Amino acid sequence: MQPLRFQVVGEAFKKKPLDVKAPAERPSEYFGKKVFNREKMYKYLPKDVYQVMVDVIDNGARLDRKVADAVAEGMKRWAVENGVTHYTHWFQPLTEGTAEKHDSFIEHDGKGGMVEEFSGKLLVQQEPDASSFPSGGIRSTFEARGYSAWDPTSPVFIIDDTLCIPTVFISYSGEALDYKAPLLRALHAVNVAATEVCKYFDPNVKKVQSNLGWEQEYFLVDEGLYAARPDLLLTGRTLMGHDSAKNQQMDDHYFGSIPERVAAFMRELEIVALELGIPCKTRHNEVAPNQFELAPIFEETNLAVDHNMLIMSVMKRVARKHGFRVLLHEKPFDGINGSGKHNNWSLSTDTGVLLHAPGKTPEQNLRFATFIVETLMGVYRHNGLLKASIMSATNAHRLGANEAPPAIISSFLGKQLSELLDHIEKADKDDIFSIGGKQGLKMDIPEIPELFIDNTDRNRTSPFAFTGNRFEFRAVGSEANCASAMITLNSAVAEALAEFKVRVDALIAKGKSTTEAIVEVLRADIKACKPIRFDGNGYSDEWVAEATKRGLDVEKSCPKIFERYLDKESIKMFESLGVMTKKELEARNEVKWETYTKKLQIEARVLGDISMNHIIPVATSYQSDLLQNVQNMANIFPAQKATELSARNLKLIEEIAERTSTIERMVEELVDARKVANKIADEHAKAIAYHDTVEPKFDAIRYQIDKLELIVDDSLWPLPKYRELLFIR
């Protein structure tokens, strides 16, 4: 009988790609088919209600109960026509995933029968049991109330037979228990601050919108192989496994021909995504074997975050239909590239992108320079906090590993933009700006007209790089909720812009012209934020030393990085903008520390279990076979000849004994370290203990197991190997 590993490998390789056929219509015709978007609202809502909803979505107008009832009725009619029987408030708790409780439309009709009903009250608010969601001590476990409230700016959508309503999730006492509520507050803050600054240049600007374009990297593995790996199943990554002789060193997977089975999966995923209104644009092979990427067109940040959470859920469902499992862990395989989720961020008004150059007028070019510099100011002031916003137990494996930016936040601008800022800072004021007669403001900066061109190479070691008309926040992890990074980034920029306006207004009050005041403040800020600008190799040891001199945060310990949320500067920023209170920040950090500890606890237990119950029994069984072989040699051949023939086996027997003994000892030490850490009551101290005393033992155990993998008979080895996991047939 073949070992389990070969059975599952064989079954996995037999799978044929599903025959996925796109709908008869063009993608543009079925895009948003399962979304209650403006087109559906116009069709299913009374005209006056539709106009109110447009005002709510575009301008943040309040929604009264009568309008909510009419919207709910229209939604229900559309949903029932599409086979929907249930509805759910779809929210994003602090578990890093999404949550939903399904209720049917049916109610008693008072005559012994049932009727489909859906009121504005049910649409706008629900009360899911919140007792088991992470709260960080905001509430006691026995306090079960939590409220989900409809977010009208993110369209309702259909999954199977359920109407999904995007919502915020708050506690009984009003604190946010999710990611959406503080994200909406941060987006409001940057809108207010940026709009006020825009009025210096164009008084007609009424709204500034934050935009996000995420790039989702992921791995696919055969479902049968996945099922035979307890570490993948329980932790999302391989805790052991020797390098495959061939992995990514030939660079042949990157942008290569997409495997047939994967292409079928991608086609179906895109069809489902487009029907859900997710504007999928790009798909391709990534650097590592079995690694791929999906990217949409830019969207408003809140909607983009919802769509990313939705696509991660949808891709898991679609993958299983094709015999795959999706791996979103940042580092599922050792020795090859991990997965990130680049967050391309920008700001725009109804007149265009604020980070766009060149402008048609000097005022527009000055506006461009202003928003670039104040973005850098926000990133500089809160570089440690921005790192904390993307840090996790899983992303810590990826950052700085010659495949992702280092755990030091810096910004790459490129030669021309750097020269532009240096020019503004150092040149005499009259050399840059002049005001005269009907010509108005003149701006003598020759570099600006060329900035719109791709004038410089990209720097993949930069966590926050300017890439033409946006900044690319490259450090975000593959399985992360983008909201975490977007809350911090938009808040930091909002704070910088608000302070910029206060200083400019103060100079204007002293008699300076608006242009003179803006330039004076800009020059001071260009000089102040210079430490965050770095165009060199972020992987070098020299950069770590230089970043330390510049006062940037170079901490690498994940639990300690989370401390930046509780710095007085962070608390002041979030509270002054109305994004999060100190109480909410403290609670979220408790959740972060607890989540970090739990992830390492699970990995430690899984590693110990596989070591003792899978690896050592198989290794000792093979050792027994070798011993039997040596004994048989002694029975057949003369002593000297038997010794010569058995030399290799004797060497292997000794090595297996030494390595299994070492593994047993190390696992015992791992268990002891975990027990000591588990006794620590304070979540912060416990997370640090796990980082300092538990996690370092993982690689030492893995090293011994990976060496055994090269020794033990391949037919006996209990786990699918990298050479099987990493190549789809």
Side-chain angles (χ1 to χ4, degrees), residues 178-253:
D178 70 341
Y179 283 101
K180 181 181 277 286
L183 175 64
L184 290 173
R185 297 170 189 162
L187 296 177
H188 173 72
V190 80
N191 170 31
V192 171
T195 300
E196 288 300 308
V197 172
C198 278
K199 289 184 184 298
Y200 287 135
F201 310 99
D202 182 358
N204 297 315
V205 172
K206 295 180 180 179
K207 181 180 180 180
V208 173
Q209 175 177 288
S210 169
N211 302 308
L212 171 63
W214 42 264
E215 303 168 24
Q216 181 67 59
E217 294 177 343
Y218 61 94
F219 281 84
L220 291 176
V221 295
D222 283 299
E223 191 166 28
L225 302 176
Y226 174 89
R229 292 282 314 212
D231 48 356
L232 275 181
L233 185 67
L234 297 175
T235 74
R237 74 179 182 110
T238 54
L239 298 175
M240 58 201 68
H242 199 280
D243 287 349
S244 170
K246 179 184 183 296
N247 45 52
Q248 69 184 50
Q249 66 265 46
M250 298 301 295
D251 300 320
D252 54 344
H253 187 71

Side-chain angles (χ1 to χ4, degrees), residues 218-377:
Y218 61 94
F219 281 84
L220 291 176
V221 295
D222 283 299
E223 191 166 28
L225 302 176
Y226 174 89
R229 292 282 314 212
D231 48 356
L232 275 181
L233 185 67
L234 297 175
T235 74
R237 74 179 182 110
T238 54
L239 298 175
M240 58 201 68
H242 199 280
D243 287 349
S244 170
K246 179 184 183 296
N247 45 52
Q248 69 184 50
Q249 66 265 46
M250 298 301 295
D251 300 320
D252 54 344
H253 187 71
Y254 190 49
F255 280 19
S257 177
I258 299 172
E260 184 182 1
R261 287 176 57 203
V262 176
F265 155 75
M266 288 178 168
R267 283 194 294 273
E268 182 169 2
L269 175 62
E270 287 181 3
I271 292 168
V272 174
L274 289 168
E275 288 181 341
L276 289 168
I278 305 173
C280 293
K281 177 74 173 178
T282 302
R283 65 188 186 199
H284 64 82
N285 290 2
E286 255 300 334
V287 176
N290 283 16
Q291 188 185 34
F292 308 94
E293 182 179 294
L294 176 152
I297 300 170
F298 276 62
E299 298 180 285
E300 184 275 326
T301 295
N302 178 47
L303 182 58
V305 168
D306 282 358
H307 279 168
N308 183 247
M309 296 304 291
L310 182 55
I311 199 72
M312 288 193 291
S313 174
V314 168
M315 65 169 46
K316 291 175 183 177
R317 300 176 62 197
V318 174
R320 297 198 67 174
K321 293 172 63 177
H322 293 261
F324 292 128
R325 286 296 188 117
V326 171
L327 303 181
L328 293 174
H329 192 291
E330 281 77 9
K331 193 72 170 176
F333 302 102
D334 189 47
I336 63 172
N337 277 23
S339 296
K341 178 154 47 195
H342 301 170
N343 278 206
N344 295 278
W345 171 87
S346 67
L347 295 173
S348 64
T349 70
D350 51 350
T351 62
V353 180
L354 291 177
L355 305 181
H356 217 303
K360 294 180 180 179
T361 66
E363 288 86 354
Q364 290 175 341
N365 288 332
L366 181 57
R367 184 187 69 177
F368 164 76
T370 297
F371 277 90
I372 288 290
V373 172
E374 295 313 310
T375 297
L376 292 176
M377 280 296 292

Side-chain angles (χ1 to χ4, degrees), residues 70 83 86 93 130 177 198 273 341 422 522 525 540 563 573 596 711:
H86 289 69
L177 296 174
C198 278
K341 178 154 47 195
D422 292 341
L522 270 186
D525 286 353
S540 68
E563 295 171 10
M573 177 187 75
Y596 178 85
I711 296 172

Side-chain angles (χ1 to χ4, degrees), residues 38 41 45 48-68 71 75 123-124 150-155 184 188 191 207 300 302:
R38 296 194 187 206
M41 285 194 292
L45 301 182
D48 59 331
V49 174
Y50 171 78
Q51 294 298 336
V52 170
M53 281 302 300
V54 170
D55 192 30
V56 168
I57 294 169
D58 290 346
N59 305 313
R62 287 200 170 273
L63 186 70
D64 65 37
R65 175 63 184 274
K66 288 184 180 180
V67 172
V71 174
M75 275 186 188
L123 167 64
V124 171
W150 178 36
D151 170 18
T153 64
S154 185
L184 290 173
H188 173 72
N191 170 31
K207 181 180 180 180
E300 184 275 326
N302 178 47

